[in-house]
């Protein structure tokens, strides 16, 4: 995972970013989702609020549209997969997809 402009400590391999909508309910839901995904993969996981500067930069960089996202970013900053508003955030699918990203 790269994205040097976020100043998030880089770990080898792909990373999973969970960006919630900034509400208390959104944060609670995504914290639970993070726990479920973390049980299934050892990939780097980052939880952010959509109103944090780091999240805003990521949303702008990838030109994402919506209010909540789960994105998988490869080491070279290439976007591997995105789930956003209206899609089912399935922990098993997210973990499996992240494992395939390298």
């Amino acid at each position: 995972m790269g994205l040097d402009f976020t100043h998030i400590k880089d770990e080898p391999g792909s990373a999973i970013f969970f960006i919630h909508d900034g509400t208390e309910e959104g944060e609670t839901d995504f914290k639970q989702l993070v726990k479920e995904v973390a049980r299934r993969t050892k990939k780097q996981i980052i939880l952010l609020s959509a109103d944090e500067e780091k999240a805003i930069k990521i949303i702008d960089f990838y030109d994402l549209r919506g209010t909540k996202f789960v994105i998988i970013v490869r080491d070279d900053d290439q976007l591997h997969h995105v789930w956003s508003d209206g899609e089912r955030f399935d922990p098993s699918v997210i973990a499996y997809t992240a494992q395939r990203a390298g």
Side-chain angles (χ1 to χ4, degrees):
M1 190 278 305
L3 298 179
D4 294 332
F5 61 86
T6 64
H7 303 291
I8 295 171
K9 185 179 183 298
D10 190 10
E11 294 181 15
S14 59
I16 310 168
F17 287 85
F18 294 83
I19 303 174
H20 64 82
D21 59 8
T23 65
E24 194 173 309
E25 181 182 344
E27 182 179 14
T28 300
D29 291 347
F30 268 49
K31 281 182 177 179
Q32 181 61 37
L33 180 60
V34 164
K35 285 180 190 175
E36 293 175 22
V37 172
R39 287 195 318 246
R40 293 170 169 86
T41 184
K42 298 297 181 199
K43 294 292 184 181
Q44 183 177 10
I45 293 176
I46 299 101
L47 176 64
L48 300 168
S49 171
D51 51 14
E52 287 180 56
E53 183 180 347
K54 292 175 184 179
I56 292 168
K57 287 180 178 181
I58 292 168
I59 291 167
D60 288 345
F61 183 77
Y62 291 114
D63 197 27
L64 301 174
R65 299 289 178 241
T67 59
K68 52 189 172 186
F69 311 94
V70 176
I71 65 172
I72 299 174
V73 178
R74 295 178 185 223
D75 255 344
D76 63 359
D77 293 349
Q78 182 181 1
L79 198 56
H80 181 73
H81 198 90
V82 177
W83 293 268
S84 62
D85 299 334
E87 295 184 75
R88 184 166 182 258
F89 298 117
D90 183 317
S92 296
V93 173
I94 293 168
Y96 175 78
T97 306
Q99 288 302 121
R100 296 190 46 99

XYZ file of all heavy atoms in Angstrom:
826
model
N 0.850 -1.172 0.000
C 0.000 0.000 0.000
C 0.886 1.223 0.000
O 1.776 1.329 0.802
C -0.887 -0.019 1.247
C -2.001 1.005 1.309
S -1.656 2.678 1.836
C -0.907 2.516 3.404
N 0.630 2.125 -0.900
C 1.416 3.337 -0.985
C 0.655 4.527 -0.420
O 0.553 4.715 0.773
N 0.096 5.328 -1.306
C -0.653 6.536 -0.938
C 0.122 7.386 0.059
O -0.361 7.722 1.132
C -2.045 6.184 -0.395
C -2.992 5.470 -1.352
C -4.319 5.176 -0.668
C -3.203 6.248 -2.614
N 1.336 7.736 -0.331
C 2.223 8.501 0.541
C 1.591 9.799 1.032
O 1.901 10.260 2.134
C 3.533 8.807 -0.185
C 4.336 7.543 -0.469
O 4.191 6.576 0.300
O 5.086 7.536 -1.460
N 0.710 10.400 0.229
C 0.100 11.670 0.608
C -0.797 11.552 1.844
O -1.143 12.555 2.458
C -0.696 12.274 -0.552
C -1.829 11.414 -1.042
C -3.081 11.465 -0.436
C -1.635 10.556 -2.114
C -4.123 10.669 -0.892
C -2.674 9.764 -2.576
C -3.920 9.821 -1.958
N -1.152 10.331 2.245
C -1.987 10.153 3.439
C -1.161 10.127 4.716
O -1.693 10.303 5.804
C -2.793 8.842 3.380
O -1.890 7.724 3.389
C -3.704 8.803 2.180
N 0.135 9.858 4.578
C 1.050 9.729 5.718
C 0.642 8.584 6.661
O 0.928 8.630 7.855
C 1.189 11.046 6.486
C 1.641 12.175 5.614
N 2.905 12.241 5.078
C 0.984 13.264 5.152
C 3.009 13.323 4.333
N 1.864 13.958 4.354
N -0.029 7.578 6.096
C -0.368 6.382 6.855
C 0.805 5.424 6.720
O 1.321 5.217 5.621
C -1.662 5.728 6.322
C -2.849 6.679 6.543
C -1.914 4.385 7.003
C -4.140 6.230 5.867
N 1.236 4.844 7.835
C 2.369 3.924 7.812
C 2.101 2.811 6.794
O 1.071 2.150 6.836
C 2.586 3.314 9.196
C 3.830 2.440 9.279
C 4.000 1.885 10.685
C 5.239 1.067 10.845
N 5.326 -0.116 10.037
N 3.041 2.658 5.895
C 2.922 1.688 4.812
C 3.350 0.303 5.279
O 4.370 0.155 5.942
C 3.797 2.138 3.645
C 3.567 1.347 2.381
O 2.601 0.566 2.340
O 4.355 1.510 1.442
N 2.563 -0.696 4.931
C 2.917 -2.086 5.167
C 2.948 -2.788 3.815
O 2.254 -2.375 2.886
C 1.895 -2.747 6.090
C 1.897 -2.170 7.495
C 0.896 -2.841 8.422
O 0.382 -3.929 8.087
O 0.615 -2.255 9.476
N 3.736 -3.846 3.677
C 3.817 -4.558 2.399
C 2.460 -5.134 1.992
O 1.674 -5.549 2.836
C 4.810 -5.685 2.672
C 5.539 -5.294 3.914
C 4.615 -4.418 4.688
N 2.213 -5.151 0.701
C 0.986 -5.736 0.174
C -0.138 -4.729 0.076
O 0.018 -3.541 0.344
N -1.274 -5.243 -0.335
C -2.440 -4.382 -0.489
C -3.011 -3.991 0.876
O -2.680 -4.587 1.894
C -3.507 -5.098 -1.319
O -3.889 -6.303 -0.691
N -3.851 -2.970 0.854
C -4.492 -2.487 2.082
C -5.981 -2.316 1.830
O -6.414 -2.078 0.707
C -3.889 -1.153 2.506
N -6.745 -2.438 2.904
C -8.191 -2.257 2.825
C -8.541 -0.989 3.597
O -8.240 -0.876 4.790
C -8.945 -3.448 3.431
C -8.423 -4.773 2.881
C -10.449 -3.304 3.160
C -8.932 -5.993 3.643
N -9.158 -0.042 2.913
C -9.608 1.190 3.536
C -11.113 1.126 3.739
O -11.860 0.841 2.804
C -9.286 2.399 2.656
C -7.829 2.751 2.623
C -6.972 2.116 1.747
C -7.319 3.730 3.460
C -5.629 2.431 1.704
C -5.971 4.059 3.425
C -5.128 3.405 2.555
N -11.527 1.396 4.958
C -12.939 1.474 5.300
C -13.219 2.941 5.597
O -12.670 3.497 6.550
C -13.241 0.633 6.544
C -13.057 -0.845 6.327
C -11.803 -1.425 6.412
C -14.146 -1.647 6.032
C -11.629 -2.786 6.216
C -13.980 -3.017 5.842
C -12.727 -3.582 5.930
N -14.034 3.568 4.779
C -14.341 4.982 4.957
C -15.839 5.100 5.220
O -16.653 4.891 4.318
C -13.931 5.807 3.719
C -12.435 5.606 3.416
C -14.258 7.287 3.938
C -11.954 6.258 2.130
N -16.180 5.423 6.477
C -17.599 5.546 6.830
C -18.067 6.980 6.613
O -17.277 7.883 6.339
C -17.863 5.065 8.260
C -17.210 5.861 9.324
N -17.747 7.034 9.807
C -16.048 5.672 10.006
C -16.958 7.521 10.745
N -15.914 6.722 10.884
N -19.363 7.190 6.718
C -19.975 8.474 6.358
C -19.820 9.587 7.394
O -20.314 10.689 7.199
C -21.448 8.282 6.027
C -22.255 7.690 7.174
O -21.721 7.567 8.298
O -23.428 7.336 6.931
N -19.152 9.317 8.484
C -18.922 10.350 9.491
C -19.965 10.404 10.586
O -19.822 11.165 11.538
N -21.002 9.591 10.460
C -22.022 9.562 11.512
C -21.627 8.549 12.578
O -20.800 7.658 12.335
C -23.397 9.168 10.950
O -23.341 7.821 10.467
C -23.844 10.114 9.844
N -22.224 8.691 13.746
C -21.962 7.740 14.830
C -22.411 6.327 14.424
O -21.703 5.349 14.680
C -22.707 8.196 16.089
C -22.261 7.490 17.346
C -22.896 8.098 18.588
O -22.826 9.327 18.758
O -23.449 7.316 19.384
N -23.567 6.240 13.792
C -24.073 4.938 13.329
C -23.148 4.333 12.272
O -22.835 3.149 12.303
C -25.479 5.097 12.755
C -26.080 3.791 12.278
C -27.464 3.968 11.675
O -28.098 5.019 11.885
O -27.905 3.033 10.990
N -22.685 5.177 11.353
C -21.772 4.707 10.313
C -20.468 4.188 10.898
O -19.947 3.158 10.470
N -19.951 4.899 11.886
C -18.713 4.479 12.544
C -18.903 3.143 13.260
O -18.070 2.242 13.140
C -18.238 5.542 13.528
C -16.939 5.172 14.206
C -16.439 6.238 15.162
O -17.206 7.159 15.522
O -15.264 6.150 15.552
N -20.003 2.998 13.966
C -20.289 1.754 14.680
C -20.403 0.580 13.707
O -19.819 -0.483 13.929
C -21.598 1.889 15.490
O -21.433 2.956 16.431
C -21.936 0.610 16.225
N -21.141 0.788 12.620
C -21.305 -0.266 11.616
C -19.965 -0.668 11.008
O -19.670 -1.852 10.842
C -22.246 0.188 10.499
C -23.686 0.331 10.955
O -24.035 -0.154 12.065
O -24.473 0.953 10.206
N -19.139 0.326 10.679
C -17.858 0.024 10.044
C -16.860 -0.585 11.023
O -16.027 -1.396 10.627
C -17.306 1.259 9.336
C -17.717 1.338 7.891
C -19.036 1.164 7.515
C -16.785 1.584 6.903
C -19.415 1.212 6.181
C -17.146 1.642 5.566
C -18.466 1.457 5.208
N -16.918 -0.212 12.286
C -16.038 -0.854 13.274
C -16.345 -2.345 13.357
O -15.430 -3.170 13.451
C -16.186 -0.201 14.647
C -15.434 1.100 14.789
C -15.566 1.671 16.186
C -14.746 2.941 16.345
N -14.881 3.516 17.697
N -17.613 -2.697 13.320
C -18.007 -4.108 13.335
C -17.541 -4.799 12.062
O -17.020 -5.917 12.099
C -19.525 -4.247 13.499
C -20.001 -5.677 13.558
C -19.407 -6.456 14.731
O -19.229 -5.919 15.819
N -19.077 -7.712 14.502
N -17.701 -4.144 10.924
C -17.256 -4.708 9.650
C -15.745 -4.935 9.660
O -15.262 -5.984 9.219
C -17.659 -3.773 8.507
C -17.283 -4.208 7.094
C -17.916 -5.545 6.731
C -17.682 -3.117 6.096
N -14.995 -3.967 10.181
C -13.536 -4.100 10.282
C -13.169 -5.327 11.112
O -12.289 -6.105 10.726
C -12.904 -2.817 10.868
C -11.484 -3.063 11.347
C -12.933 -1.691 9.845
N -13.836 -5.523 12.240
C -13.557 -6.692 13.084
C -13.785 -7.993 12.320
O -12.982 -8.923 12.412
C -14.443 -6.677 14.335
C -14.044 -5.686 15.378
C -14.984 -5.768 16.571
C -14.764 -4.625 17.529
N -15.747 -4.622 18.618
N -14.876 -8.046 11.587
C -15.203 -9.259 10.849
C -14.206 -9.524 9.726
O -13.809 -10.666 9.502
C -16.629 -9.173 10.311
C -17.673 -9.187 11.408
C -19.082 -8.973 10.882
O -19.333 -9.226 9.688
O -19.933 -8.558 11.691
N -13.779 -8.481 9.031
C -12.797 -8.651 7.959
C -11.428 -9.014 8.549
O -10.734 -9.885 8.027
C -12.704 -7.377 7.082
C -11.549 -7.473 6.096
C -14.022 -7.142 6.347
N -11.050 -8.382 9.656
C -9.747 -8.637 10.291
C -9.620 -10.090 10.755
O -8.511 -10.618 10.804
C -9.537 -7.682 11.459
N -10.724 -10.722 11.085
C -10.687 -12.141 11.467
C -10.388 -13.041 10.271
O -9.963 -14.173 10.430
C -12.024 -12.575 12.082
C -12.257 -12.039 13.468
C -13.380 -12.761 14.196
N -14.539 -13.029 13.371
C -15.743 -12.494 13.537
N -15.945 -11.632 14.517
N -16.746 -12.814 12.746
N -10.578 -12.509 9.066
C -10.449 -13.316 7.854
C -9.178 -13.036 7.045
O -8.875 -13.759 6.112
C -11.665 -13.090 6.965
C -12.957 -13.614 7.567
C -14.162 -13.140 6.762
N -15.387 -13.818 7.130
C -16.184 -13.457 8.120
N -15.856 -12.422 8.876
N -17.294 -14.121 8.372
N -8.471 -11.949 7.364
C -7.277 -11.593 6.600
C -6.281 -10.861 7.488
O -6.669 -10.231 8.475
C -7.619 -10.724 5.370
O -6.438 -10.487 4.607
C -8.230 -9.396 5.767
N -5.024 -10.925 7.111
C -3.960 -10.203 7.820
C -3.534 -8.951 7.060
O -2.535 -8.325 7.398
C -2.739 -11.116 8.020
C -3.026 -12.334 8.874
C -3.411 -11.934 10.265
C -3.679 -13.159 11.120
N -4.466 -12.854 12.291
N -4.297 -8.577 6.047
C -3.978 -7.375 5.272
C -4.082 -6.132 6.154
O -4.793 -6.117 7.157
C -4.946 -7.223 4.090
C -4.815 -8.298 3.045
C -3.502 -8.171 2.324
C -3.385 -9.187 1.205
N -2.113 -9.096 0.529
N -3.377 -5.094 5.748
C -3.445 -3.831 6.460
C -4.862 -3.272 6.334
O -5.432 -3.224 5.245
C -2.436 -2.836 5.886
C -2.411 -1.521 6.621
C -1.344 -0.573 6.083
O -0.733 -0.816 5.053
N -1.123 0.516 6.794
N -5.433 -2.859 7.453
C -6.791 -2.328 7.486
C -6.755 -0.935 8.103
O -6.170 -0.733 9.166
C -7.717 -3.255 8.301
C -7.873 -4.591 7.572
C -9.060 -2.592 8.559
C -8.695 -5.610 8.324
N -7.400 0.011 7.416
C -7.441 1.385 7.880
C -8.895 1.840 7.913
O -9.605 1.737 6.906
C -6.630 2.326 6.959
C -5.157 1.911 6.924
C -6.746 3.774 7.422
C -4.766 1.151 5.727
N -9.341 2.323 9.064
C -10.693 2.845 9.226
C -10.622 4.368 9.308
O -9.881 4.923 10.128
C -11.339 2.283 10.498
C -12.725 2.820 10.859
C -13.748 2.437 9.802
C -13.149 2.286 12.231
N -11.386 5.030 8.445
C -11.395 6.487 8.402
C -12.831 7.006 8.321
O -13.724 6.305 7.837
C -10.639 6.997 7.164
C -9.166 6.629 7.033
C -8.665 6.960 5.637
C -8.343 7.350 8.084
N -13.011 8.229 8.747
C -14.280 8.929 8.571
C -14.179 9.760 7.295
O -13.124 10.340 7.003
C -14.535 9.842 9.766
O -15.645 10.671 9.510
N -15.265 9.841 6.545
C -15.264 10.578 5.277
C -14.953 12.061 5.459
O -14.573 12.732 4.491
C -16.605 10.415 4.575
N -15.067 12.575 6.685
C -14.757 13.988 6.891
C -13.339 14.229 7.393
O -12.947 15.368 7.637
C -15.788 14.666 7.795
C -16.042 13.902 9.096
O -15.252 13.000 9.434
O -17.045 14.212 9.757
N -12.533 13.163 7.516
C -11.115 13.318 7.876
C -10.315 13.726 6.639
O -10.611 13.292 5.530
C -10.535 11.995 8.386
C -10.982 11.569 9.743
C -10.336 10.254 10.148
O -9.088 10.181 10.136
O -11.076 9.315 10.454
N -9.275 14.504 6.855
C -8.446 14.972 5.746
C -7.880 13.814 4.921
O -7.884 13.871 3.687
C -7.307 15.857 6.263
C -6.450 16.427 5.154
C -5.318 17.308 5.665
O -5.327 17.686 6.844
O -4.424 17.595 4.856
N -7.413 12.762 5.575
C -6.846 11.609 4.858
C -7.889 10.972 3.953
O -7.604 10.624 2.807
C -6.304 10.572 5.841
C -5.093 11.029 6.597
C -4.673 10.018 7.637
C -3.515 10.556 8.454
N -3.078 9.646 9.474
N -9.088 10.809 4.468
C -10.158 10.197 3.678
C -10.550 11.089 2.506
O -10.766 10.600 1.391
C -11.364 9.906 4.558
N -10.628 12.374 2.753
C -10.981 13.318 1.682
C -9.963 13.229 0.555
O -10.326 13.212 -0.631
C -11.085 14.753 2.243
C -12.303 14.853 3.174
C -11.170 15.781 1.119
C -12.350 16.115 4.002
N -8.685 13.146 0.906
C -7.634 13.033 -0.109
C -7.777 11.735 -0.911
O -7.595 11.721 -2.122
C -6.252 13.099 0.544
C -5.875 14.482 1.026
C -4.496 14.473 1.655
C -4.084 15.859 2.104
N -2.734 15.865 2.702
N -8.092 10.640 -0.232
C -8.261 9.355 -0.919
C -9.477 9.398 -1.844
O -9.408 8.965 -3.004
C -8.391 8.212 0.107
C -7.071 8.011 0.844
C -8.839 6.910 -0.571
C -7.165 7.116 2.068
N -10.577 9.933 -1.349
C -11.796 10.043 -2.159
C -11.539 10.895 -3.401
O -11.943 10.537 -4.509
C -12.950 10.609 -1.302
C -13.365 9.583 -0.247
C -14.137 11.016 -2.178
C -14.259 10.125 0.852
N -10.836 12.010 -3.230
C -10.506 12.871 -4.370
C -9.536 12.189 -5.329
O -9.705 12.271 -6.551
C -9.901 14.193 -3.888
C -10.928 15.107 -3.241
O -12.143 14.863 -3.409
O -10.512 16.065 -2.553
N -8.510 11.526 -4.792
C -7.495 10.877 -5.619
C -8.120 9.844 -6.561
O -7.761 9.757 -7.731
C -6.443 10.216 -4.724
C -5.304 9.583 -5.458
C -4.285 10.354 -5.997
C -5.230 8.209 -5.602
C -3.212 9.769 -6.667
C -4.166 7.608 -6.267
C -3.160 8.397 -6.803
N -9.064 9.065 -6.047
C -9.707 8.021 -6.854
C -11.029 8.480 -7.461
O -11.713 7.687 -8.117
C -9.923 6.758 -6.019
C -8.627 6.075 -5.677
C -8.197 5.994 -4.364
C -7.818 5.522 -6.661
C -7.005 5.370 -4.037
C -6.618 4.908 -6.355
C -6.223 4.834 -5.042
O -5.027 4.220 -4.727
N -11.394 9.736 -7.253
C -12.624 10.308 -7.799
C -13.840 9.445 -7.454
O -14.662 9.109 -8.307
C -12.499 10.488 -9.319
C -13.550 11.440 -9.867
O -14.015 12.318 -9.115
O -13.921 11.282 -11.046
N -13.937 9.090 -6.165
C -15.021 8.238 -5.698
C -16.286 9.066 -5.484
O -16.214 10.228 -5.122
C -14.627 7.551 -4.386
C -13.377 6.671 -4.439
C -13.026 6.187 -3.043
C -13.587 5.503 -5.388
N -17.426 8.432 -5.688
C -18.719 9.082 -5.490
C -19.526 8.273 -4.489
O -19.691 7.070 -4.648
C -19.494 9.182 -6.810
C -18.769 9.988 -7.857
C -18.778 11.475 -7.495
N -18.038 12.237 -8.489
C -16.970 12.954 -8.219
N -16.495 12.999 -7.005
N -16.366 13.631 -9.169
N -20.037 8.938 -3.463
C -20.834 8.276 -2.448
C -20.492 8.824 -1.084
O -19.811 9.846 -0.957
N -20.954 8.113 -0.036
C -20.709 8.579 1.327
C -19.951 7.571 2.176
O -19.410 7.919 3.207
C -22.027 8.904 2.039
O -22.843 7.728 2.062
C -22.766 10.031 1.344
N -19.937 6.304 1.746
C -19.175 5.288 2.480
C -18.588 4.306 1.477
O -19.199 3.986 0.462
C -20.026 4.597 3.531
C -21.322 4.037 3.042
C -22.172 3.563 4.192
C -23.561 3.195 3.677
N -24.470 2.863 4.732
N -17.373 3.842 1.818
C -16.622 3.019 0.877
C -15.805 1.963 1.600
O -15.355 2.173 2.720
C -15.613 3.877 0.087
C -16.186 5.114 -0.503
C -16.123 6.320 0.176
C -16.798 5.084 -1.736
C -16.652 7.476 -0.353
C -17.342 6.240 -2.281
C -17.264 7.435 -1.589
N -15.593 0.860 0.914
C -14.540 -0.085 1.253
C -13.722 -0.194 -0.023
O -14.255 -0.529 -1.080
C -15.096 -1.463 1.667
C -13.952 -2.437 1.906
C -15.980 -1.347 2.898
N -12.438 0.152 0.070
C -11.584 0.092 -1.116
C -10.343 -0.735 -0.823
O -9.824 -0.725 0.292
C -11.196 1.492 -1.646
C -10.336 2.257 -0.660
C -12.439 2.301 -1.988
C -9.777 3.558 -1.223
N -9.910 -1.437 -1.837
C -8.672 -2.215 -1.742
C -7.669 -1.556 -2.677
O -7.940 -1.359 -3.861
C -8.899 -3.683 -2.117
C -9.912 -4.303 -1.157
C -7.570 -4.446 -2.116
C -10.332 -5.711 -1.511
N -6.530 -1.179 -2.098
C -5.473 -0.487 -2.831
C -4.239 -1.373 -2.857
O -3.802 -1.876 -1.825
C -5.151 0.871 -2.159
C -4.008 1.575 -2.881
C -6.392 1.747 -2.105
N -3.690 -1.550 -4.049
C -2.455 -2.342 -4.205
C -1.244 -1.515 -3.806
O -1.314 -0.308 -3.639
C -2.315 -2.785 -5.658
C -3.387 -3.736 -6.103
C -3.195 -4.065 -7.563
N -4.286 -4.898 -8.029
C -4.108 -5.945 -8.800
N -2.907 -6.275 -9.220
N -5.151 -6.657 -9.184
N -0.101 -2.190 -3.686
C 1.160 -1.533 -3.311
C 1.513 -0.361 -4.216
O 2.120 0.614 -3.775
C 2.311 -2.541 -3.349
C 2.746 -2.951 -1.964
O 2.393 -2.273 -0.989
O 3.447 -3.969 -1.848
N 1.141 -0.449 -5.498
C 1.486 0.604 -6.449
C 0.404 1.695 -6.542
O 0.371 2.467 -7.498
C 1.752 0.009 -7.834
C 0.524 -0.679 -8.422
O -0.538 -0.722 -7.761
O 0.623 -1.183 -9.559
N -0.479 1.749 -5.558
C -1.584 2.713 -5.461
C -2.716 2.448 -6.451
O -3.663 3.226 -6.534
C -1.113 4.162 -5.628
C -0.232 4.632 -4.500
O -0.135 3.933 -3.480
O 0.383 5.704 -4.650
N -2.616 1.363 -7.194
C -3.686 1.007 -8.123
C -4.903 0.547 -7.324
O -4.788 -0.220 -6.371
C -3.217 -0.098 -9.063
C -4.239 -0.501 -10.091
C -3.721 -1.618 -10.987
O -2.604 -2.100 -10.840
N -4.549 -2.038 -11.913
N -6.050 1.031 -7.725
C -7.293 0.641 -7.076
C -7.670 -0.758 -7.559
O -7.850 -0.990 -8.753
C -8.379 1.649 -7.439
C -9.617 1.721 -6.599
C -9.270 1.968 -5.141
C -10.528 2.819 -7.115
N -7.759 -1.702 -6.628
C -8.086 -3.084 -6.986
C -9.589 -3.309 -7.012
O -10.114 -3.936 -7.925
C -7.414 -4.058 -6.002
C -7.667 -5.485 -6.303
N -7.063 -6.125 -7.369
C -8.466 -6.399 -5.708
C -7.472 -7.392 -7.405
N -8.333 -7.578 -6.411
N -10.291 -2.789 -6.005
C -11.744 -2.964 -5.944
C -12.367 -1.901 -5.046
O -11.728 -1.446 -4.103
C -12.097 -4.355 -5.407
C -13.506 -4.754 -5.708
N -13.843 -5.421 -6.856
C -14.657 -4.551 -5.037
C -15.147 -5.637 -6.870
N -15.667 -5.109 -5.769
N -13.612 -1.543 -5.356
C -14.356 -0.560 -4.567
C -15.768 -1.082 -4.313
O -16.420 -1.579 -5.223
C -14.488 0.790 -5.310
C -15.324 1.770 -4.508
C -13.143 1.384 -5.630
N -16.200 -0.956 -3.081
C -17.608 -1.129 -2.728
C -18.052 0.222 -2.192
O -17.324 0.875 -1.450
C -17.792 -2.165 -1.625
C -17.462 -3.568 -2.004
C -18.315 -4.513 -2.498
C -16.190 -4.212 -1.906
N -17.645 -5.703 -2.709
C -16.335 -5.537 -2.358
C -14.927 -3.784 -1.489
C -15.284 -6.438 -2.386
C -13.864 -4.682 -1.522
C -14.053 -5.993 -1.973
N -19.256 0.636 -2.544
C -19.739 1.928 -2.051
C -21.222 1.849 -1.723
O -21.808 0.762 -1.720
C -19.460 3.030 -3.079
O -20.145 2.773 -4.282
N -21.818 3.009 -1.479
C -23.227 3.102 -1.089
C -24.102 2.141 -1.893
O -23.945 2.008 -3.097
C -23.749 4.519 -1.333
C -23.010 5.560 -0.540
O -22.455 5.226 0.514
O -22.983 6.719 -0.979
N -25.006 1.495 -1.193
C -25.970 0.625 -1.853
C -25.488 -0.784 -2.114
O -26.279 -1.661 -2.463
N -24.187 -1.023 -1.970
C -23.655 -2.362 -2.166
C -23.557 -3.068 -0.822
O -23.418 -2.435 0.222
C -22.276 -2.305 -2.826
C -22.304 -1.756 -4.234
C -20.945 -1.808 -4.882
O -20.524 -2.915 -5.270
O -20.306 -0.748 -4.979
N -23.586 -4.381 -0.873
C -23.464 -5.170 0.353
C -21.984 -5.263 0.741
O -21.156 -5.671 -0.057
C -24.034 -6.568 0.121
C -24.034 -7.402 1.360
C -24.909 -8.633 1.172
N -24.928 -9.402 2.385
C -24.207 -10.509 2.562
N -23.462 -10.973 1.591
N -24.269 -11.149 3.705
N -21.674 -4.880 1.958
C -20.313 -4.970 2.476
C -20.172 -6.333 3.152
O -20.369 -6.457 4.362
C -20.022 -3.836 3.464
C -20.105 -2.460 2.856
C -21.045 -1.546 3.294
C -19.229 -2.077 1.854
C -21.110 -0.266 2.756
C -19.280 -0.810 1.303
C -20.228 0.102 1.745
N -19.822 -7.348 2.382
C -19.714 -8.721 2.869
C -18.276 -8.978 3.327
O -17.354 -8.958 2.501
C -20.106 -9.688 1.761
C -20.095 -11.135 2.195
O -19.146 -11.562 2.895
O -21.033 -11.857 1.818
N -18.051 -9.229 4.614
C -16.688 -9.405 5.133
C -15.910 -10.519 4.429
O -14.711 -10.365 4.170
C -16.891 -9.747 6.604
C -18.275 -9.353 6.929
C -19.052 -9.348 5.668
N -16.566 -11.622 4.112
C -15.883 -12.737 3.438
C -15.423 -12.341 2.043
O -14.298 -12.657 1.635
C -16.800 -13.956 3.348
O -17.110 -14.430 4.627
N -16.270 -11.657 1.317
C -15.928 -11.228 -0.038
C -14.818 -10.182 0.000
O -13.888 -10.220 -0.809
C -17.177 -10.689 -0.774
C -16.811 -10.076 -2.113
C -18.211 -11.791 -0.951
N -14.904 -9.258 0.940
C -13.874 -8.222 1.069
C -12.518 -8.863 1.368
O -11.517 -8.549 0.721
C -14.260 -7.201 2.159
C -15.496 -6.412 1.725
C -13.090 -6.267 2.471
C -16.141 -5.598 2.824
N -12.470 -9.773 2.330
C -11.210 -10.436 2.692
C -10.665 -11.252 1.519
O -9.464 -11.200 1.236
C -11.416 -11.329 3.915
N -11.525 -11.988 0.853
C -11.096 -12.816 -0.285
C -10.532 -11.927 -1.395
O -9.471 -12.221 -1.968
C -12.268 -13.643 -0.796
C -11.947 -14.427 -2.040
C -11.214 -15.615 -1.971
C -12.360 -13.991 -3.296
C -10.906 -16.332 -3.100
C -12.058 -14.701 -4.442
C -11.327 -15.864 -4.352
O -11.017 -16.576 -5.495
N -11.235 -10.851 -1.714
C -10.784 -9.940 -2.757
C -9.444 -9.309 -2.397
O -8.569 -9.143 -3.251
C -11.865 -8.859 -3.037
O -13.105 -9.516 -3.326
C -11.476 -7.974 -4.196
N -9.272 -8.956 -1.140
C -8.007 -8.360 -0.678
C -6.858 -9.365 -0.816
O -5.745 -8.994 -1.213
C -8.123 -7.887 0.761
N -7.109 -10.603 -0.489
C -6.070 -11.637 -0.603
C -5.631 -11.789 -2.065
O -4.457 -11.982 -2.347
C -6.577 -12.967 -0.074
C -6.726 -13.023 1.439
C -5.428 -12.734 2.162
O -5.348 -11.799 2.945
N -4.410 -13.524 1.921
N -6.563 -11.663 -2.977
C -6.252 -11.801 -4.404
C -5.489 -10.588 -4.955
O -4.872 -10.679 -6.006
C -7.515 -12.044 -5.201
C -8.167 -13.372 -4.821
C -9.269 -13.764 -5.753
N -8.932 -13.605 -7.138
C -8.527 -14.567 -7.956
N -8.373 -15.781 -7.495
N -8.282 -14.326 -9.220
N -5.534 -9.473 -4.239
C -4.875 -8.247 -4.704
C -3.366 -8.283 -4.507
O -2.640 -7.461 -5.026
C -5.451 -7.032 -3.982
N -2.901 -9.246 -3.742
C -1.453 -9.364 -3.511
C -0.992 -8.691 -2.260
O -1.666 -8.070 -1.535
